[in-house]
């Protein structure tokens, strides 16, 4: 998914009463939860009540009315509040007992005092949809902030019966829905664009709300998240059918928007672990933290196969080979969804970005991007062999939703020149995904993804873009700010015959099925029972293990590692003590930022906890005299998506940036990083370099001066996991998920290439104790193939990489044969 900064988002224009009335008539909303109303005479006190009180048919509703003074002091004068039931969809005497009365708050009443009024409903003999009883509050003594209503819950209808199958419940509910209600279920808005006017959720019957990157409640706490989402859910349940919202968020390496959440290594690091059981356990942890804030849906995992590491999304991929992305993508889906979606530790997963987003051609990127959102120029055979297998694996694992890519596909089979946006690709979305693979979940568009379907327009989404994408097979539409326009135009398009209602019914059935499977009809509000586990020691231990297993030891000359905790250790480099840099993008905000982005442990803090004699100098300006070992931590600073493309635009819009563009992205070490490596490695006898980055960084020229080189990726909040392997508390076991190039001028190198000659191959990874995979074969070959100054020989690279692929594909005996044939005779 994409997101844009808060400053750049187009927030909704305030709607006029006429528009509200039109929206209310266009749908079958019970009522639009009202905005604040003011008394004709200003007062020092404010009277308020919750916008809605739910009650079961036949029970008595208790409405709580609160009085508060402007200065939070006791009331200086008495406040009298009159109330009366009004005319709603419930019928007086038949459905409830009409009533009126007065609530008194004498002078001296403490601010925040509550009084209650009661409304008795009458049980009906037959099942009914929800009905509303508006309540009017009046006061000459205080400002009245909003008017409450009582909603008698829908009851006795088949779709509300959890004993029935999901298929029967969906069929019953669908036949009760109007066209406007169906289209509402296909519409998703962004949190920031409904927070100021939440009544629009009820008016349009929105099916979903999401948080983009960095979009959080004013107080970024688990309780505030749950409260906010419950508020949105209340609006959804204020409709006659009471179809609950499904709220979505990018928990791509932890609940990254939430301050204090446990942040995992990005997928590129998880790819290095080669441990599907760990990936499943880690994503189960993420699901628990996400659902504890009221969110049942994540836009993860990304199962793309990255083929050009200049791509700004490289770290979102598990690796460059489809076998690796398939194994770990399926494990991630299993972790997110568990065995029971209704569990308060489960979230609906999303396989993205369908399909070929990691396989786009450099120079074809959208707008100023050089590769992101570009064009996949490949044959159908190539896409089926390289890009589609991870989706087949995710589908087999039961993934509940799929998100199309911003990118296009231009089949080489019929010649280049006619690219088609994936959001418009019926052949792959409806044909391959739904018909051939039998996918029965729903397809969610990416952030305003249909706006890029030609012809482009200033008033997107146009009817043409909407019709094209719906007919291609997209079911729900992420329209963060233009959700009203989308809703209006799709309803009109169906009435005009441009979209068949059968296609609408198919889309809505898929969405409703997911909501039933998640148990949202029975438990629509946040289950906060696991909120105390967010950022807990147990969760951070899982992330710490993932960090340790993600570390790839590329070189270990003279057995520089593991370190001795009794040595004098000199630590340098800008990524040693920067939590934001080690967490990367999608942390705190969309692009992430340097510094204290969220609570956690930096790599330096992990080293200091493991050793007593540690000196830190970020730029290596402090004297190095007397140090036994130098540890230099360099690499990249945070970015996301096209702003991470090599040669792409430079981000400058996070508050931490102060309007200053971030450094240009490169596959080479930044000059300052290279200077620190050169200085420390020249002055200290043993030099260890850690590269904290979302993709390989070319340092071929420095390789000869480095004793030990580690690919640390983007470890997240648990930097102590890096120290665990540096000091030997855990062995190095990580394997490269992508090939490490020799040159930034020619960085595209993938296992299986005809002239495969990387600096370090796919699957490469030294150990610091014990045997490698397949006994000693791998260890012996790696030792023989590595030149300390020139990397791995081409023959050794091919053997290591192809044997690793064989292991991933389950051909372990063949892997042994490859290694045996390559061993020195």
């Amino acid at each position: 998914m994409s997101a844009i900064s808060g400053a750049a988002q187009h927030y909704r224009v305030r709607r006029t009463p006429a528009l509200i009335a039109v929206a209310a008539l266009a749908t079958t909303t019970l009522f639009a939860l009202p905005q604040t109303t003011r008394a004709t005479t200003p007062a020092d006190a404010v009277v308020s009540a919750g916008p809605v009180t739910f009650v079961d048919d036949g029970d008595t509703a208790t409405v709580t009315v609160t009085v508060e003074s402007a200065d939070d002091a006791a009331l200086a004068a008495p406040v009298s509040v009159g109330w009366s039931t009004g005319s709603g969809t419930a019928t007086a005497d038949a459905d409830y007992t009409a009533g009126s009365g007065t609530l008194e708050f004498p002078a001296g009443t403490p601010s925040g005092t509550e009084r209650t009024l009661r409304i008795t409903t009458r049980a009906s003999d037959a099942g009914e949809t929800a009905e509303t009883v508006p309540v009017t509050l009046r006061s000459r003594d205080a400002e009245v902030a909003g008017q409450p209503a009582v909603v008698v819950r829908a009851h006795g209808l088949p779709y509300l019966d959890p004993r029935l199958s999901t298929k029967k419940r969906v069929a019953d509910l669908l036949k009760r829905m109007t066209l406007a209600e169906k289209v509402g279920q296909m519409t998703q808005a962004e949190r920031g664009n409904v927070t100021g006017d939440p009544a629009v959720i009820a008016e349009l019957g929105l099916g979903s709300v999401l948080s983009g990157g960095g979009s959080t409640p004013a107080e970024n706490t688990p309780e505030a998240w749950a409260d906010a989402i419950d508020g949105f859910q209340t609006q959804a349940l204020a409709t006659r059918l009471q179809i609950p919202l499904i709220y979505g968020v990018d928990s791509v390496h932890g609940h990254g928007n939430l301050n204090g959440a446990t942040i995992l290594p990005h997928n590129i690091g998880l790819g290095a672990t080669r441990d599907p059981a760990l990936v499943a356990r880690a994503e189960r942890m993420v699901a628990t933290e996400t659902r504890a804030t009221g969110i049942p849906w994540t836009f993860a995992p990304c199962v793309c196969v990255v083929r050009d590491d200049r791509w700004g999304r490289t770290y979102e991929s598990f690796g460059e080979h489809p076998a690796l992305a398939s194994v770990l993508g399926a494990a991630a889906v299993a972790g997110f969804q568990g065995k029971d979606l209704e569990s308060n530790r489960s979230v609906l997963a999303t396989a993205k970005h369908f399909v070929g987003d990691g396989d786009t051609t450099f120079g074809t990127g959208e707008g100023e991007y050089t590769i992101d959102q570009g064009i996949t120029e490949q044959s159908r055979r190539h896409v089926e062999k390289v890009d589609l297998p991870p989706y087949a694996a995710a589908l087999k694992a039961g993934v509940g939703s799929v998100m199309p890519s911003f990118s296009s596909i231009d089949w080489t089979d019929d010649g280049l020149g006619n690219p088609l946006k994936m959001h418009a690709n019926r052949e792959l979305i409806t044909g391959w995904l739904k018909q051939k693979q039998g996918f029965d979940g729903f397809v969610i568009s990416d952030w305003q993804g249909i706006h890029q379907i030609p012809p482009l327009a200033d008033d997107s989404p146009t009817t043409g873009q909407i019709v094209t994408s719906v007919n291609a097979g997209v079911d729900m539409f992420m329209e963060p700010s233009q959700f009203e326009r989308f809703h209006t135009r799709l309803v009109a398009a169906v009435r005009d015959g441009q979209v068949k209602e059968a296609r609408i019914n198919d889309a809505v059935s898929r969405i409703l099925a997911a909501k039933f499977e998640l148990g949202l009809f029975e438990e629509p509000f946040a289950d906060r029972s696991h909120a105390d586990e967010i950022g807990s020691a147990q969760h951070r231990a899982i992330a710490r293990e993932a960090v340790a297993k993600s570390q790839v030891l590329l070189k270990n000359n003279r057995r520089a590692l593991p370190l001795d905790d009794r040595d004098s250790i000199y630590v340098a480099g800008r990524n040693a003590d920067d939590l934001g840099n080690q967490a990367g993008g999608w942390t705190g905000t969309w692009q992430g930022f340097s510094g204290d982005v969220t609570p956690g442990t930096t790599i330096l803090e992990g080293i200091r906890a493991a050793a007593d004699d540690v000196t830190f100098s970020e730029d290596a300006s402090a004297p190095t005299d007397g140090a036994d070992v130098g540890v230099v931590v360099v690499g990249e600073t945070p970015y996301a998506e096209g702003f991470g493309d090599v040669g792409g635009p430079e981000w400058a819009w996070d508050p931490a940036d102060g309007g200053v563009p971030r450094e240009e992205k490169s596959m080479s070490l930044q000059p300052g990083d290279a200077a620190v490596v050169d200085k420390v490695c020249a002055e200290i006898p043993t030099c260890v370099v850690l590269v904290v980055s979302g993709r390989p960084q070319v340092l071929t020229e420095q390789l000869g001066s480095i004793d030990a080189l580690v690919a640390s990726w983007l470890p997240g909040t648990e930097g102590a996991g890096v120290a665990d392997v540096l000091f030997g508390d855990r062995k190095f076991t990580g394997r490269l998920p992508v090939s490490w190039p020799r040159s930034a001028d020619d960085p595209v190198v993938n296992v299986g290439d005809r002239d495969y000659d990387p600096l370090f191959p796919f699957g490469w990874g030294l150990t610091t104790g014990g045997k490698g995979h397949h006994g000693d074969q791998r260890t012996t070959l790696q030792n023989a193939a590595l030149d300390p100054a020139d990397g791995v020989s081409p023959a050794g690279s091919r053997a290591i990489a192809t044997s690793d692929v064989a292991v991933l594909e389950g051909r372990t005996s063949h892997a042994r044969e490859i290694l045996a044939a390559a061993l020195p005779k």
Side-chain angles (χ1 to χ4, degrees), residues 46-50 62-68 81-83 103 105 112-117 135 137 144 148:
V46 177
V47 172
S48 63
T62 300
V63 179
T64 300
V65 178
T66 305
V67 65
E68 296 177 289
V81 181
W83 68 271
L103 303 176
F105 298 88
T113 296
E114 299 176 345
R115 298 279 188 269
T116 59
L117 60 93
V135 179
L137 302 180
V144 177

Tab-separated table of all heavy atoms in Angstrom, residues 46-50 62-68 81-83 103 105 112-117 135 137 144 148:
chain	number	residue	atom	x	y	z
A	46	VAL	N	-21.807	22.461	29.590
A	46	VAL	CA	-22.098	21.704	28.376
A	46	VAL	C	-22.756	20.389	28.778
A	46	VAL	O	-22.270	19.682	29.667
A	46	VAL	CB	-20.818	21.416	27.573
A	46	VAL	CG1	-21.138	20.560	26.349
A	46	VAL	CG2	-20.145	22.704	27.154
A	47	VAL	N	-23.855	20.079	28.116
A	47	VAL	CA	-24.568	18.827	28.334
A	47	VAL	C	-24.309	17.928	27.132
A	47	VAL	O	-24.410	18.372	25.979
A	47	VAL	CB	-26.072	19.072	28.500
A	47	VAL	CG1	-26.827	17.739	28.521
A	47	VAL	CG2	-26.343	19.848	29.773
A	48	SER	N	-23.938	16.674	27.391
A	48	SER	CA	-23.654	15.762	26.285
A	48	SER	C	-24.146	14.359	26.609
A	48	SER	O	-24.424	14.035	27.767
A	48	SER	CB	-22.146	15.715	25.999
A	48	SER	OG	-21.447	15.207	27.120
A	49	ALA	N	-24.244	13.558	25.568
A	49	ALA	CA	-24.611	12.152	25.714
A	49	ALA	C	-23.935	11.387	24.601
A	49	ALA	O	-23.605	11.950	23.546
A	49	ALA	CB	-26.124	11.966	25.654
A	50	GLY	N	-23.685	10.124	24.814
A	50	GLY	CA	-23.118	9.303	23.757
A	50	GLY	C	-24.023	9.334	22.538
A	50	GLY	O	-25.251	9.423	22.671
A	62	THR	N	-30.707	2.490	28.572
A	62	THR	CA	-30.310	3.515	29.531
A	62	THR	C	-29.376	4.488	28.834
A	62	THR	O	-28.274	4.117	28.414
A	62	THR	CB	-29.599	2.884	30.740
A	62	THR	OG1	-30.485	1.958	31.385
A	62	THR	CG2	-29.170	3.960	31.729
A	63	VAL	N	-29.829	5.711	28.696
A	63	VAL	CA	-29.052	6.759	28.046
A	63	VAL	C	-28.418	7.628	29.126
A	63	VAL	O	-29.118	8.127	30.020
A	63	VAL	CB	-29.928	7.627	27.120
A	63	VAL	CG1	-29.098	8.742	26.476
A	63	VAL	CG2	-30.591	6.755	26.057
A	64	THR	N	-27.124	7.786	29.069
A	64	THR	CA	-26.388	8.561	30.069
A	64	THR	C	-26.149	9.977	29.560
A	64	THR	O	-25.622	10.169	28.454
A	64	THR	CB	-25.051	7.895	30.395
A	64	THR	OG1	-25.301	6.574	30.900
A	64	THR	CG2	-24.277	8.690	31.435
A	65	VAL	N	-26.542	10.969	30.377
A	65	VAL	CA	-26.360	12.376	30.048
A	65	VAL	C	-25.362	12.963	31.045
A	65	VAL	O	-25.487	12.757	32.252
A	65	VAL	CB	-27.701	13.139	30.105
A	65	VAL	CG1	-27.485	14.623	29.809
A	65	VAL	CG2	-28.701	12.536	29.126
A	66	THR	N	-24.374	13.677	30.523
A	66	THR	CA	-23.296	14.223	31.352
A	66	THR	C	-23.288	15.743	31.272
A	66	THR	O	-23.508	16.312	30.197
A	66	THR	CB	-21.933	13.687	30.875
A	66	THR	OG1	-21.970	12.257	30.856
A	66	THR	CG2	-20.805	14.151	31.794
A	67	VAL	N	-23.024	16.401	32.402
A	67	VAL	CA	-22.855	17.847	32.405
A	67	VAL	C	-21.414	18.164	32.798
A	67	VAL	O	-20.842	17.534	33.691
A	67	VAL	CB	-23.839	18.540	33.372
A	67	VAL	CG1	-23.567	18.155	34.823
A	67	VAL	CG2	-23.796	20.049	33.198
A	68	GLU	N	-20.811	19.103	32.092
A	68	GLU	CA	-19.446	19.525	32.365
A	68	GLU	C	-19.374	21.042	32.324
A	68	GLU	O	-20.031	21.680	31.491
A	68	GLU	CB	-18.479	18.943	31.329
A	68	GLU	CG	-18.396	17.429	31.372
A	68	GLU	CD	-17.494	16.880	30.280
A	68	GLU	OE1	-17.901	16.939	29.108
A	68	GLU	OE2	-16.399	16.409	30.611
A	81	VAL	N	-32.261	19.928	32.134
A	81	VAL	CA	-32.205	19.344	30.792
A	81	VAL	C	-33.514	18.602	30.531
A	81	VAL	O	-33.845	17.636	31.226
A	81	VAL	CB	-31.020	18.372	30.647
A	81	VAL	CG1	-30.972	17.795	29.232
A	81	VAL	CG2	-29.712	19.059	30.985
A	82	GLY	N	-34.242	19.071	29.552
A	82	GLY	CA	-35.444	18.372	29.149
A	82	GLY	C	-35.147	17.356	28.075
A	82	GLY	O	-34.253	17.561	27.241
A	83	TRP	N	-35.857	16.256	28.073
A	83	TRP	CA	-35.655	15.237	27.042
A	83	TRP	C	-36.987	14.678	26.590
A	83	TRP	O	-37.972	14.695	27.332
A	83	TRP	CB	-34.760	14.100	27.538
A	83	TRP	CG	-35.384	13.243	28.627
A	83	TRP	CD1	-35.313	13.448	29.967
A	83	TRP	CD2	-36.173	12.060	28.436
A	83	TRP	NE1	-35.994	12.473	30.650
A	83	TRP	CE2	-36.534	11.603	29.718
A	83	TRP	CE3	-36.606	11.366	27.328
A	83	TRP	CZ2	-37.329	10.456	29.911
A	83	TRP	CZ3	-37.383	10.216	27.500
A	83	TRP	CH2	-37.719	9.775	28.802
A	103	LEU	N	-34.087	16.245	33.532
A	103	LEU	CA	-32.954	15.862	34.373
A	103	LEU	C	-32.421	17.118	35.031
A	103	LEU	O	-32.179	18.129	34.358
A	103	LEU	CB	-31.848	15.205	33.527
A	103	LEU	CG	-32.257	13.966	32.719
A	103	LEU	CD1	-31.081	13.493	31.863
A	103	LEU	CD2	-32.725	12.841	33.634
A	105	PHE	N	-29.603	19.153	37.425
A	105	PHE	CA	-28.238	19.220	37.947
A	105	PHE	C	-28.155	20.483	38.808
A	105	PHE	O	-27.981	21.589	38.278
A	105	PHE	CB	-27.213	19.303	36.811
A	105	PHE	CG	-27.195	18.099	35.892
A	105	PHE	CD1	-28.037	18.036	34.777
A	105	PHE	CD2	-26.346	17.035	36.137
A	105	PHE	CE1	-28.017	16.953	33.937
A	105	PHE	CE2	-26.317	15.936	35.286
A	105	PHE	CZ	-27.160	15.885	34.185
A	112	GLY	N	-18.794	16.722	35.263
A	112	GLY	CA	-18.678	15.323	34.907
A	112	GLY	C	-19.761	14.447	35.509
A	112	GLY	O	-19.771	13.235	35.279
A	113	THR	N	-20.679	15.051	36.254
A	113	THR	CA	-21.774	14.278	36.859
A	113	THR	C	-22.699	13.729	35.769
A	113	THR	O	-22.972	14.398	34.768
A	113	THR	CB	-22.571	15.155	37.836
A	113	THR	OG1	-21.711	15.525	38.917
A	113	THR	CG2	-23.774	14.409	38.386
A	114	GLU	N	-23.187	12.510	35.992
A	114	GLU	CA	-24.049	11.847	35.021
A	114	GLU	C	-25.452	11.647	35.575
A	114	GLU	O	-25.635	11.439	36.776
A	114	GLU	CB	-23.457	10.492	34.622
A	114	GLU	CG	-22.093	10.567	33.964
A	114	GLU	CD	-21.505	9.192	33.681
A	114	GLU	OE1	-22.036	8.201	34.250
A	114	GLU	OE2	-20.532	9.107	32.916
A	115	ARG	N	-26.434	11.748	34.722
A	115	ARG	CA	-27.815	11.365	35.018
A	115	ARG	C	-28.255	10.420	33.900
A	115	ARG	O	-27.705	10.441	32.797
A	115	ARG	CB	-28.746	12.581	35.037
A	115	ARG	CG	-28.408	13.616	36.098
A	115	ARG	CD	-28.962	13.198	37.471
A	115	ARG	NE	-28.804	14.292	38.435
A	115	ARG	CZ	-27.764	14.457	39.222
A	115	ARG	NH1	-26.745	13.582	39.159
A	115	ARG	NH2	-27.704	15.460	40.071
A	116	THR	N	-29.225	9.588	34.154
A	116	THR	CA	-29.681	8.645	33.145
A	116	THR	C	-31.166	8.800	32.879
A	116	THR	O	-31.943	9.217	33.750
A	116	THR	CB	-29.416	7.189	33.579
A	116	THR	OG1	-30.094	6.924	34.812
A	116	THR	CG2	-27.931	6.941	33.746
A	117	LEU	N	-31.545	8.482	31.673
A	117	LEU	CA	-32.953	8.393	31.305
A	117	LEU	C	-33.164	7.025	30.679
A	117	LEU	O	-32.231	6.435	30.126
A	117	LEU	CB	-33.337	9.520	30.341
A	117	LEU	CG	-32.601	9.603	29.000
A	117	LEU	CD1	-33.358	8.859	27.906
A	117	LEU	CD2	-32.414	11.061	28.591
A	135	VAL	N	-33.580	10.789	20.466
A	135	VAL	CA	-33.869	11.454	21.742
A	135	VAL	C	-33.414	12.907	21.617
A	135	VAL	O	-32.274	13.172	21.229
A	135	VAL	CB	-33.145	10.770	22.914
A	135	VAL	CG1	-33.430	11.494	24.221
A	135	VAL	CG2	-33.552	9.306	23.015
A	137	LEU	N	-32.531	16.434	23.388
A	137	LEU	CA	-32.146	17.097	24.632
A	137	LEU	C	-32.278	18.606	24.442
A	137	LEU	O	-31.862	19.148	23.415
A	137	LEU	CB	-30.705	16.748	25.010
A	137	LEU	CG	-30.370	15.267	25.205
A	137	LEU	CD1	-28.894	15.112	25.570
A	137	LEU	CD2	-31.256	14.638	26.280
A	144	VAL	N	-25.940	22.285	24.496
A	144	VAL	CA	-26.212	20.871	24.255
A	144	VAL	C	-25.306	20.395	23.120
A	144	VAL	O	-25.414	20.880	21.992
A	144	VAL	CB	-27.687	20.628	23.900
A	144	VAL	CG1	-27.916	19.143	23.591
A	144	VAL	CG2	-28.587	21.080	25.044
A	148	PRO	N	-28.539	12.357	21.268
A	148	PRO	CA	-28.369	10.896	21.271
A	148	PRO	C	-29.514	10.188	20.559
A	148	PRO	O	-30.538	10.793	20.216
A	148	PRO	CB	-28.359	10.564	22.757
A	148	PRO	CG	-29.253	11.607	23.362
A	148	PRO	CD	-29.020	12.857	22.566
